[in-house]
Amino acid sequence: MAGLTKNKYDVYKCSANDAIHFKLVRKEEDLDDDKSTFLPEMTHQVFGENESIFGYKDLTVEMYYTAAKLTPFINLQYITKIVPELHEGLQPDDVIGKLQEVIPPGFLTSRDAFINSIPKDAEFKPYGKLVHSFTVHKEGRDRQFEIYKTGIEAPGFRDYHEKLQTFILFFIDAASFIDVDDERWQFFLLFEKYKYNGNPMYAVAGYMTIYNYYAYPEKVRPRVSQVLVLPPFQRMGLCAEMLQTFYNDAYRRKEVLDITVEDPSENFQRVRDFVDVKNCQGLSSFQPSKLLKGFSEEMQKEAREKFKLNRRQARRVYEILRLKATDMSDKEQYKSYRLDMKKRLNAPFQKNGRDFDKLKNVLRPDEFSATLSSITEDQRHQYLESTFQENVETYRKVIDRLATH
């Protein structure tokens, strides 16, 4: 009987990842254009670990925003819905209630009201100061983008940021909202600038948050915290442009010691590697003849002075550029490269390094010492070899991208 009951209600279950439909609406026609719809990458931060919604048959959750002002519209479309009196007391999930926990109040629920709000985007002006504009050639046409730098104090930006940051819950894992009242936060906003009926218009494409940590005695260490390029604008090199724009701003600031990144995702690390390698490959200390001799203080110093790289990232850039300079058919050169990286990878077993610290943070002292001592020599060699191969594969992607720029 239990099985029958379960199956009976399966049609009322759906994946929130498929049910939620985002749109960034520029004109009324976009509402009925499936090509302008994009789906979330994840929903567990809003709908729980199973990322499922119960109680509706053929559910679509419309989460539409005007492209510039981000005026939000939320609406549920479904064929039928669970009614407790007719369905053994079962309750449908409160989808709007869950969304209200993460979306600022004041979103529209009337389609007509939303349609009436679309033309108001023509009044939108980006927040802060224009720091970079550039053109991307995509699918046979040139598209113009602008990047603005602002603090939270810009009139109207606090409310705008509240709407913008909602997206991170659906596209960045382990995302959390920031305390905007801390004046050390800095924001870089990315917009596409386009013409509609002859008028210049803006559409938000992404953003980045930076926290300026104090470094004794009078320096700062800016940390990249959140970076998001919205799905309709991905795979256009925009994240690299945004990162380089922030870098250029940091280079001009004498008080900046070096730049760090908070817990980067694999995708962001790849963009960061690409930008840093592209910048460093012209430095004298990173020339092939020097790379083949190993990582040096000169490299670290030059990367920090010219490009504000911290030691860990300078070392990573060195490994990528050394791989590029290594003749893989030369057994000695390849062996030397492999041993050099494995020596670094072996560091956690030598009681230092980031992985060692990570283990230390999550395990109790007794578990921690047991973990390190329980790794056999064979397991350690296996770990070193597989991590080496993974890194080489990641580095090759950066080198391949470099070749096309």
Side-chain angles (χ1 to χ4, degrees):
M1 183 66 197
L4 281 174
T5 308
K6 177 182 171 291
N7 292 338
K8 191 165 72 173
Y9 293 117
D10 271 0
V11 293
Y12 291 99
K13 266 190 202 151
C14 68
S15 158
N17 293 339
D18 298 328
I20 291 175
H21 287 193
F22 286 110
K23 278 183 193 287
L24 293 166
V25 178
R26 300 185 182 197
K27 54 192 185 301
E28 192 180 330
E29 293 75 26
D30 292 346
L31 292 175
D32 301 311
D33 180 3
D34 288 344
K35 290 201 294 289
S36 68
T37 300
F38 58 99
L39 304 182
E41 277 177 33
M42 63 195 73
T43 52
H44 63 88
Q45 298 172 112
V46 181
F47 291 97
E49 280 311 307
N50 292 332
E51 300 189 315
S52 66
I53 298 173
F54 173 75
Y56 309 84
K57 189 176 176 187
D58 292 347
L59 176 69
T60 300
V61 182
E62 297 173 340
M63 291 184 69
Y64 298 169
Y65 291 80
T66 60
K69 284 191 165 189
L70 292 180
T71 304
F73 165 67
I74 297 177
N75 182 49
L76 306 192
Q77 299 265 26
Y78 48 85
I79 292 174
T80 53
K81 172 181 172 180
I82 288 274
V83 179
E85 297 76 29
L86 303 176
H87 298 96
E88 305 168 58
L90 290 171
Q91 294 278 359
D93 287 349
D94 180 6
V95 176
I96 298 291
K98 285 213 166 78
L99 291 172
Q100 275 175 323
E101 290 173 23
V102 297
I103 290 174
F107 57 83
L108 302 174
T109 52
S110 150
R111 191 178 169 101
D112 286 344
F114 182 66
I115 288 168
N116 290 336
S117 76
I118 298 169
K120 293 177 185 159
D121 266 15
E123 306 157 6
F124 179 81
K125 293 281 179 288
Y127 301 94
K129 176 188 170 203
L130 174 65
V131 286
H132 183 42
S133 57
F134 59 99
T135 302
V136 174
H137 190 72
K138 184 85 173 167
E139 291 161 1
R141 66 191 180 99
D142 286 339
R143 297 174 65 172
Q144 193 183 347
F145 291 89
E146 293 184 344
I147 297 174
Y148 288 76
K149 174 189 168 188
T150 187
I152 201 67
E153 70 289 337
F157 180 62
R158 179 183 291 267
D159 291 342
Y160 190 76
H161 173 260
E162 261 196 49
K163 292 183 281 192
L164 188 55
Q165 73 175 350
T166 304
F167 286 105
I168 67 171
L169 298 176
F170 298 93
F171 296 101
I172 299 176
D173 208 3
S176 57
F177 292 163
I178 62 175
D179 172 17
V180 291
D181 289 322
D182 189 331
E183 70 215 12
R184 290 177 176 269
W185 283 108
Q186 233 178 4
F187 304 84
F188 287 82
L189 309 172
L190 171 66
F191 295 94
E192 179 171 13
K193 190 176 186 182
Y194 66 100
K195 288 264 172 70
Y196 183 63
N197 289 338
N199 298 317
M201 300 279 286
Y202 290 92
V204 67
Y207 80 116
M208 170 175 193
T209 60
I210 311 293
Y211 189 79
N212 288 294
Y213 277 94
Y214 168 70
Y216 183 83
E218 67 253 326
K219 296 281 187 186
V220 292
R221 296 187 113 132
R223 178 188 281 184
V224 178
S225 177
Q226 301 157 328
V227 185
L228 177 64
V229 174
L230 291 162
F233 300 94
Q234 287 172 5
R235 309 197 74 75
M236 293 168 66
L238 299 179
C239 186
E241 283 280 358
M242 203 158 39
L243 184 60
Q244 187 63 62
T245 302
F246 154 62
Y247 278 178
N248 292 343
D249 183 70
Y251 301 158
R252 284 192 288 269
R253 296 165 57 199
K254 286 192 171 61
E255 74 275 17
V256 171
L257 184 64
D258 60 19
I259 292 162
T260 59
V261 176
E262 184 183 318
D263 200 13
S265 68
E266 272 180 41
N267 283 344
F268 180 73
Q269 184 61 48
R270 209 158 46 231
V271 175
R272 179 194 189 191
D273 289 343
F274 164 70
V275 173
D276 291 344
V277 167
K278 189 156 73 93
N279 287 337
C280 288
Q281 65 181 351
L283 298 179
S284 63
S285 61
F286 284 86
Q287 293 315 298
S289 58
K290 290 183 177 175
L291 290 165
L292 295 174
K293 290 177 187 166
F295 186 58
S296 65
E297 282 304 312
E298 186 196 356
M299 288 173 189
Q300 193 211 330
K301 187 167 180 283
E302 197 175 12
R304 173 174 268 181
E305 283 174 1
K306 292 274 167 57
F307 298 120
K308 311 284 188 185
L309 296 197
N310 61 40
R311 185 188 181 92
R312 183 190 306 284
Q313 185 63 6
R315 166 78 202 202
R316 195 172 162 92
V317 165
Y318 147 76
E319 285 183 4
I320 297 169
L321 284 172
R322 180 164 177 182
L323 176 64
K324 186 170 181 271
T326 298
D327 177 357
M328 295 311 235
S329 62
D330 181 327
K331 280 185 181 167
E332 281 308 307
Q333 266 197 37
Y334 177 64
K335 183 183 174 188
S336 173
Y337 178 71
R338 203 174 79 237
L339 290 175
D340 183 64
M341 196 201 296
K342 284 188 175 180
K343 189 177 167 192
R344 173 180 68 79
L345 294 173
N346 198 36
F349 304 99
Q350 308 301 320
K351 305 221 177 333
N352 58 18
R354 188 185 197 177
D355 297 327
F356 185 89
D357 292 340
K358 270 189 192 168
L359 277 177
K360 208 169 182 178
N361 288 339
V362 296
L363 299 176
R364 295 197 312 269
D366 54 328
E367 291 175 325
F368 177 63
S369 51
T371 301
L372 276 193
S373 59
S374 70
I375 292 176
T376 65
E377 199 62 9
D378 268 1
Q379 284 172 318
R380 187 165 65 88
H381 283 299
Q382 213 176 337
Y383 160 79
L384 292 175
E385 184 55 31
S386 67
T387 309
F388 168 74
Q389 295 296 350
E390 275 170 32
N391 281 354
V392 166
E393 196 183 325
T394 301
Y395 294 173
R396 284 209 183 287
K397 286 177 182 160
V398 177
I399 293 165
D400 290 346
R401 185 174 177 187
L402 216 55
T404 61
H405 284 72

